[in-house]
Amino acid sequence: MGKIIAMANQKGGVGKTTSTINLAASLATLEKSVLVIDADPQANASSGLGVELNEVDCSLYECIINKADIREAIYTTDIEGLDIVPSHIDLVGAEIEMLQIAQRENVLEAILAPVRNDYDFILIDCSPSLGLITVNALTAADSVIIPVQCEYFALEGISKLLNTIKIIKSKLNPKLEIEGFLLTMYDSRLRLARQIYDEVKRHFQELVFKTVIQRNVKLSESPSHGLPVILYDADSTGAKNHLALAKEIIEKNKKN
């Protein structure tokens, strides 16, 4: 049975989408079958994995609102074993439309059920909000990865996210766990980055991934080419970091 992991933090610009794309590509490179669910209306994970958005007939929006079969919304990518359900700008309005739906917090869980056993990992790229679609992602997920940017306001907002996770765990999804805190945009030359790493580690201890994602030009460039960094430049620091993260997650899930 595939493990569903949501990538969530309501703070924008922390590297959620970059981490989703590149972790997925790294897991697929390590011969795991992976499905990315792009649950962000900006659809950056879709374009970052080479999906031509204007050619998409069936996206996550159609699955949520028109009850389309998720299998019709699955697109392949340039990496063998890595598929994606793309997003669409219409997803912005989906939260309002979903208010009419019974059990609206469980819609995504029901959508994923038919394909759950087809993949080793399903990664959900959440939008930078704690709206209904992010709540759906956390309700459908087994665990959540929280990317934390190594910058001054890094821990701001995390308590709000942790509170949301706690509420979802108690009311909607008792199996939800924190997979780990992922430190992103780490620059070892900056004392502040090291301080933030130490602070996050002090707060969350074993829940912090050993792997940190360093600042890396190739990592920033690759989405504009519609490629994960492992295809854009396999020798780059960004590619090596995400491969190490994928190995860490595989190892962690072997034990469980």
Side-chain angles (χ1 to χ4, degrees):
M1 195 149 142
K3 179 157 195 181
I4 302 177
I5 303 176
M7 193 76 72
N9 188 333
Q10 77 276 23
K11 199 168 181 296
V14 297
K16 272 192 302 293
T17 300
T18 303
S19 299
T20 304
I21 292 171
N22 291 298
L23 172 58
S26 299
L27 287 166
T29 304
L30 296 169
E31 298 183 342
K32 299 292 178 188
S33 54
V34 186
L35 177 65
V36 170
I37 307 292
D38 190 350
D40 184 347
Q42 294 175 68
N44 291 338
S46 308
S47 55
L49 283 172
V51 175
E52 294 290 344
L53 294 173
N54 52 356
E55 292 171 16
V56 169
D57 298 320
C58 188
S59 68
L60 184 61
Y61 175 82
E62 280 74 26
C63 297
I64 291 173
I65 302 302
N66 304 336
K67 297 191 165 50
D69 186 329
I70 188 170
R71 294 182 188 94
E72 291 172 29
I74 293 175
Y75 290 73
T76 55
T77 69
D78 290 339
I79 291 188
E80 194 181 337
L82 175 55
D83 296 339
I84 181 165
V85 173
S87 182
H88 193 279
I89 190 66
D90 287 350
L91 210 55
V92 169
E95 302 211 338
I96 305 295
E97 296 175 68
M98 285 168 81
L99 295 175
Q100 318 296 329
I101 302 174
Q103 290 202 297
R104 52 182 176 263
E105 295 88 359
N106 301 87
V107 174
L108 189 55
E109 187 179 15
I111 288 168
L112 294 178
V115 295
R116 181 164 188 161
N117 294 336
D118 301 346
Y119 295 93
D120 295 313
F121 290 95
I122 296 176
L123 302 184
I124 309 173
D125 184 29
C126 299
S127 67
S129 78
L130 292 177
L132 190 50
I133 292 187
T134 299
V135 168
N136 261 267
L138 294 171
T139 304
D142 299 303
S143 65
V144 53
I145 290 176
I146 302 169
V148 180
Q149 190 180 359
C150 289
E151 296 210 339
Y152 186 62
F153 292 114
L155 294 174
E156 201 177 73
I158 283 188
S159 58
K160 198 168 182 190
L161 175 62
L162 293 176
N163 199 36
T164 302
I165 290 169
K166 198 168 148 191
I167 293 166
I168 287 170
K169 201 171 157 73
S170 67
K171 297 209 170 13
L172 296 164
N173 181 6
K175 70 180 187 305
L176 184 64
E177 299 293 340
I178 292 174
E179 188 76 23
F181 288 84
L182 175 65
L183 286 140
T184 62
M185 304 181 203
Y186 183 80
D187 186 340
S188 56
R189 296 167 303 181
L190 300 178
R191 199 172 78 212
L192 177 65
R194 294 197 299 273
Q195 283 171 344
I196 285 163
Y197 178 83
D198 292 341
E199 194 175 341
V200 174
K201 193 81 179 143
R202 195 178 75 245
H203 270 280
F204 303 111
Q205 296 161 355
E206 294 307 305
L207 287 175
V208 182
F209 286 112
K210 291 186 183 73
T211 308
V212 294
I213 308 299
Q214 291 162 273
R215 274 198 186 278
N216 180 239
V217 176
K218 299 289 187 202
L219 200 52
S220 311
E221 288 174 357
S222 61
S224 62
H225 296 268
L227 293 170
V229 72
I230 205 157
L231 287 188
Y232 182 63
D233 184 347
D235 289 327
S236 65
T237 305
K240 288 173 182 164
N241 288 167
H242 284 94
L243 211 48
L245 175 65
K247 286 176 182 164
E248 195 175 335
I249 287 170
I250 291 168
E251 201 50 48
K252 185 178 177 184
N253 285 287
K254 262 188 206 158
K255 292 172 190 165
N256 296 343

